[in-house]
Amino acid sequence: MDAFFLQVLNGLDKGGAYALIALGLTLVFGTLGVVNFAHGALFMIGAFCAVTFRKLITLEQVVLSKTELSPWGTPLEIRTPYAQQWFGDFGNVLIDYSVPFSLLLAIPVMLLIGISMERGLIKHFYKRPHAEQILVTFGLAIVLQEIVKTFFGANPNPQPIPQALQGAADLGVMVGLAQHTITYPIWRLVYLLFSLSVIASVFAFLRFTTFGMVVRAGMADRETVSMLGINIDKRFTIMFGIAAVVAGLAGVMYTPILPPDYTLGMDFLVLSFIVVVVGGMGSLPGAVLAGFTLGVVQSLASMTAVKDILPGIDQIIIYLVAVIILLVRPRGLLGKRGVMEN
Amino acid sequence: MFNIPKKDAITFVLFAIVVLTMPIWLAPLGASYPGLLQKFAIYALLAVGYNILFGLTGYLSFGHAAFLGVGSYAAVWSFKLLSMNPVLALVFAIFFSGLFALAIGFISLRRSGIYFSILTLAFAQMSYKLAYSVLSPITHGENGLQLTLQDPRAIDMMFIERGSSLPTSSLFGIPMNGYAGFYFCAVILLIGFFIAQKITSSPFGMMLKGIKSNEDRMNYTGFNTKPYMLTAFVISGIYAGVAGGLLSITDPLAGAERMQWTASGELVLMTILGGVGTLVGPVIGAWIIKYFENIFSAFNESVLHNFFAFLPDNFESIVVLISSKFVGEGWHLTLGLMFVLVVVFLPGGIMEGVRRISARFSNRKDPSKGEEVIDPENLPKPDLKKGE
């Protein structure tokens, strides 16, 4: 039973990442009607925002010491990060918490990338068939990941967890179980909470702001909204930017869990597409629900008890779920009737 | 069976000449070595087969790599169990990939559009993951399936003694590596091309094109499109299986990475780059991509320095610095850029570019100068079933 809870928890943080990526994909599909295969690349770029940020703030000034000698007899090099020199103690905090702080870098960068992507390339593809949209964004994904590879190389770039958030939390104690029954890495808990709050803020944004209301109206009936004199294209462009930001933020916070390399996007892309389809094309709650469900299902399938009965099930469970859903209920878990149903 | 229209016959003869003289005309391009030539022939066959599905019916499959993998494994198993005869291996590859395609197609074709793509992708990924994990007794997982000295090879053992070294696949005593291997692949490619030509011009092919234009309308006129689609899917899967078998014949080592979805993606790139729906286009696309992969990726800075030596020195180093990002390890960047540009500006691929240029040069002549190009512009566009 404890193992069961643990696996559910493990699944939830992975599910959080799936849900965030799928949420962005669905936003783009629901507003612009574009199937964006470059969305995984946006997740990857977000992760590399964290890498870049850390590289920038750990730039060091190297001073040769006048008195001390290194073991080789040469003057000792004293390395002090510029951040520490300029900001003092806050600089150290900045370095320690580089991953959360890089969210601040990621937001403008992802917004810019998202909007320029939409304006530069994707707007020409609204009227083209889905197959061509898939192809052009797939090509774009290759280009983006190769550019990242040129700058950061092919090796994974591990990012540290802030000191205070390292280690594991003993969740079992909180619910009255014995010690060390359910321990869970704190950072994964942070990630879960983070993804929930991002999801909540996206929904709140769409639900409670005028901008969100217009966007929802545009999703329902684009033509009527534009006939009412509202520049719906501009809002949809901004929504594309927001979708890129969501993917980017998901990527930033995921870096301590999985060291990012340039293929990260492609790895997540296939899974998140399956999440979108299982949730129902164009359904935002569906994407979130399917994201968490598939995350949990995947980690439950990797329990030894399950693997003993069905060997190899952990490898294919997500695809299997997708196939079954598509055959039995093609509009997905929460998809609207009539939207992309055949 | 062999009475084909004159135009098709000319295309076929020209194509045959081009393929069979490849060792000669590729020599100045630095690509005339057997290993690469074999790949040219094999991947061209793969692309021709893929085009039967994607080009004629418009169904975008992201799972053809699975059939390639099944074909490779089937061929290697036929080497291991029965005989080193390549024809037998191909029969094995055809049988198993066909069976596999029948099963996957039967399920996947219950949906169309992007759902079909996702279903094929899911099946291919499942095969890939299983080949790596649970099916290791059959696929030998990460090591890949290889020949060993202890293989039974039941049929061969009746006629010859067990040798002390690993055998190579051979037909009538000619080993299937080097140029002989290339010509074997080339002959199979020509047969495949001929069959594809026959299919394209047959009533069956017309039916498939009808499905691409408007499947609903085909249904309303009383055709049950499902059997046609399934047949097209299986045929195209068999092409992929044969290509996989040929890969194993020329180099008897089959690995699971052939089944990964990026391999399917590459196949889609080949077809699009050359020109969807044309017969020659996918072949050209396959050649370009394989050429880039093998030749372009081997470029390094010193080659570039030689190439740009005519420029002034300072300028040269800048040019070399920039262009070095696009060759060698970065050739994928070139590929991606090329691909985006083609999809944006030339949705019909290279063949459309050729047709546009030739139309410009011969304004007065027959506008259908582009030979067997099926012009996607002139076909009625299917209604976009957008969920808006």
Side-chain angles (χ1 to χ4, degrees):
Chain A
M1 201 60 198
D2 299 337
F4 178 79
F5 276 121
L6 201 60
Q7 288 302 334
V8 170
L9 277 173
N10 270 334
L12 281 179
D13 68 273
K14 200 182 268 175
Y18 293 163
L20 283 180
I21 305 177
L23 188 67
L25 268 177
T26 310
L27 271 181
V28 171
F29 180 77
T31 50
L32 302 167
V34 171
V35 181
N36 182 11
F37 257 52
H39 205 74
L42 293 173
F43 178 78
M44 184 263 302
I45 290 178
F48 275 93
C49 280
V51 177
T52 318
F53 186 74
R54 183 158 181 89
K55 278 203 172 154
L56 285 179
I57 62 163
T58 50
L59 280 180
E60 290 167 327
Q61 189 187 29
V62 182
V63 184
L64 291 182
S65 165
K66 294 210 174 72
T67 52
E68 288 173 81
L69 290 178
S70 69
W72 295 276
T74 50
L76 188 69
E77 292 179 347
I78 300 174
R79 296 170 176 270
T80 32
Y82 284 109
Q84 203 181 345
Q85 281 181 4
W86 295 343
F87 304 116
D89 281 346
F90 178 68
N92 287 332
V93 176
L94 203 62
I95 293 174
D96 190 17
Y97 282 83
S98 72
V99 172
F101 272 112
S102 34
L103 292 176
L104 297 177
L105 173 72
I107 290 174
V109 169
M110 296 312 295
L111 203 60
L112 196 71
I113 291 179
I115 288 179
S116 47
M117 212 168 115
E118 200 273 341
R119 284 291 91 184
L121 185 67
I122 292 183
K123 74 165 178 186
H124 304 291
F125 280 81
Y126 294 158
K127 295 269 147 48
R128 308 259 287 255
H130 282 313
E132 283 184 18
Q133 295 170 353
I134 291 177
L135 295 169
V136 79
T137 47
F138 183 55
L140 185 65
I142 296 177
V143 171
L144 288 177
Q145 83 175 38
E146 286 305 312
I147 291 175
V148 167
K149 186 177 156 197
T150 339
F151 284 103
F152 295 92
N155 294 327
N157 296 273
Q159 297 295 304
I161 300 174
Q163 218 125 58
L165 301 176
Q166 283 169 1
D170 206 339
L171 292 180
V173 177
M174 294 180 202
V175 291
L177 293 169
Q179 276 189 335
H180 304 301
T181 45
I182 302 179
T183 54
Y184 192 61
I186 299 178
W187 183 261
R188 290 183 178 238
L189 214 56
V190 171
Y191 193 85
L192 178 59
L193 294 177
F194 171 78
S195 58
L196 285 176
S197 55
V198 171
I199 291 166
S201 42
V202 168
F203 275 92
F205 178 71
L206 286 175
R207 189 98 197 93
F208 300 120
T209 63
T210 319
F211 187 95
M213 186 188 71
V214 173
V215 168
R216 276 186 296 133
M219 283 164 87
D221 190 342
R222 182 184 189 143
E223 268 182 31
T224 313
V225 174
S226 56
M227 275 175 201
L228 292 172
I230 293 169
N231 187 351
I232 191 72
D233 288 353
K234 196 172 139 199
R235 316 221 168 190
F236 280 179
T237 308
I238 295 173
M239 282 317 287
F240 192 98
I242 290 176
V245 170
V246 170
L249 296 186
V252 168
M253 295 294 273
Y254 211 70
T255 48
I257 300 177
L258 187 71
D261 64 358
Y262 72 106
T263 56
L264 182 69
M266 287 291 180
D267 299 342
F268 268 83
L269 174 74
V270 173
L271 287 175
S272 52
F273 250 95
I274 283 175
V275 170
V276 170
V277 170
V278 168
M281 292 294 268
S283 159
L284 294 174
V288 175
L289 178 72
F292 282 109
T293 314
L294 286 181
V296 171
V297 166
Q298 191 183 23
S299 69
L300 285 183
S302 57
M303 284 167 70
T304 31
V306 180
K307 272 201 283 192
D308 286 346
I309 306 169
L310 295 165
I313 188 76
D314 55 321
Q315 302 282 330
I316 59 166
I317 180 74
I318 287 202
Y319 303 108
L320 209 58
V321 170
V323 167
I324 292 168
I325 292 271
L326 278 181
L327 293 179
V328 177
R329 191 181 160 89
R331 65 190 147 109
L333 293 175
L334 299 178
K336 278 194 219 90
R337 191 174 288 277
V339 177
M340 297 274 299
E341 220 174 323
N342 42 0
Chain B
M1 182 184 168
F2 289 96
N3 53 341
I4 55 174
K6 202 177 161 199
K7 207 174 72 178
D8 280 1
I10 295 172
T11 317
F12 181 76
V13 170
L14 283 178
F15 183 74
I17 293 172
V18 168
V19 169
L20 294 175
T21 57
M22 260 163 103
I24 300 165
W25 63 263
L26 277 175
L29 296 171
S32 178
Y33 54 92
L36 186 55
L37 288 171
Q38 290 161 4
K39 284 217 174 67
F40 278 163
I42 293 170
Y43 282 91
L45 182 70
L46 183 62
V48 166
Y50 187 70
N51 186 55
I52 292 178
L53 182 71
F54 182 42
L56 293 185
T57 70
Y59 274 59
L60 177 64
S61 157
F62 258 107
H64 263 54
F67 307 130
L68 187 76
V70 169
S72 321
Y73 284 129
V76 177
W77 272 112
S78 115
F79 290 152
K80 283 170 89 77
L81 295 179
L82 298 173
S83 156
M84 295 304 292
N85 189 327
V87 177
L88 190 66
L90 281 187
V91 172
F92 250 66
I94 289 173
F95 179 74
F96 282 102
S97 60
L99 211 61
F100 203 61
L102 188 68
I104 290 185
F106 183 75
I107 300 173
S108 301
L109 283 168
R110 300 168 69 125
R111 298 280 169 261
S112 60
I114 185 172
Y115 290 149
F116 171 79
S117 309
I118 300 257
L119 277 172
T120 48
L121 177 65
F123 279 117
Q125 281 295 89
M126 276 199 255
S127 329
Y128 165 65
K129 298 268 181 182
L130 287 180
Y132 253 124
S133 56
V134 183
L135 296 180
S136 299
I138 303 175
T139 61
H140 290 209
E142 287 181 31
N143 298 329
L145 189 62
Q146 316 183 25
L147 301 179
T148 60
L149 284 174
Q150 287 78 38
D151 290 333
R153 280 198 296 284
I155 297 178
D156 280 3
M157 283 307 118
M158 289 181 222
F159 303 107
I160 50 168
E161 288 293 303
R162 192 180 285 276
S164 60
S165 61
L166 280 181
T168 51
S169 172
S170 58
L171 186 65
F172 306 126
I174 309 165
M176 283 297 129
N177 46 24
Y179 283 103
F182 163 68
Y183 279 106
F184 183 71
C185 298
V187 168
I188 304 278
L189 167 65
L190 290 179
I191 295 171
F193 188 81
F194 181 76
I195 295 173
Q197 261 186 333
K198 288 294 283 186
I199 289 176
T200 310
S201 56
S202 68
F204 170 68
M206 293 308 290
M207 219 71 90
L208 297 181
K209 287 177 214 163
I211 292 174
K212 182 179 189 177
S213 312
N214 194 331
E215 189 167 356
D216 288 337
R217 209 172 290 170
M218 289 292 285
N219 278 323
Y220 295 152
T221 45
F223 287 108
N224 184 2
T225 53
K226 284 276 148 17
Y228 290 99
M229 279 307 305
L230 189 59
T231 317
F233 191 86
V234 171
I235 291 175
S236 137
I238 287 177
Y239 268 81
V242 170
L246 287 175
L247 280 177
S248 294
I249 287 169
T250 52
D251 178 17
L253 167 69
E257 72 282 346
R258 271 180 202 162
M259 303 171 100
Q260 208 181 1
W261 77 278
T262 41
S264 306
E266 195 187 53
L267 176 56
V268 180
L269 295 191
M270 288 173 184
T271 315
I272 300 281
L273 189 66
V276 188
T278 65
L279 275 167
V280 185
V283 176
I284 295 176
W287 287 347
I288 289 178
I289 287 187
K290 282 293 147 192
Y291 181 76
F292 268 59
E293 187 181 297
N294 286 278
I295 304 296
F296 224 59
S297 63
F299 275 23
N300 52 28
E301 293 212 2
S302 63
V303 178
L304 285 175
H305 273 294
N306 288 335
F307 188 75
F308 291 114
F310 61 93
L311 294 169
D313 273 355
N314 289 335
F315 193 57
E316 185 207 320
S317 50
I318 297 172
V319 170
V320 168
L321 187 71
I322 295 173
S323 52
S324 67
K325 299 291 175 209
F326 291 89
V327 296
E329 301 239 301
W331 80 273
H332 270 112
L333 181 61
T334 321
L335 179 70
L337 275 178
M338 201 161 69
F339 187 63
V340 169
L341 292 178
V342 164
V343 179
V344 173
F345 295 110
L346 277 179
I350 291 172
M351 289 309 284
E352 189 180 317
V354 172
R355 194 168 46 83
R356 279 192 199 167
I357 292 170
S358 66
R360 184 158 297 172
F361 277 111
S362 55
N363 265 338
R364 304 249 168 78
K365 284 184 199 159
D366 187 0
S368 66
K369 191 80 174 80
E371 308 298 349
E372 66 291 322
V373 174
I374 303 156
D375 188 358
E377 307 296 330
N378 291 340
L379 293 171
K381 277 263 154 88
D383 293 334
L384 297 181
K385 290 169 209 138
K386 282 248 185 90
E388 289 189 334

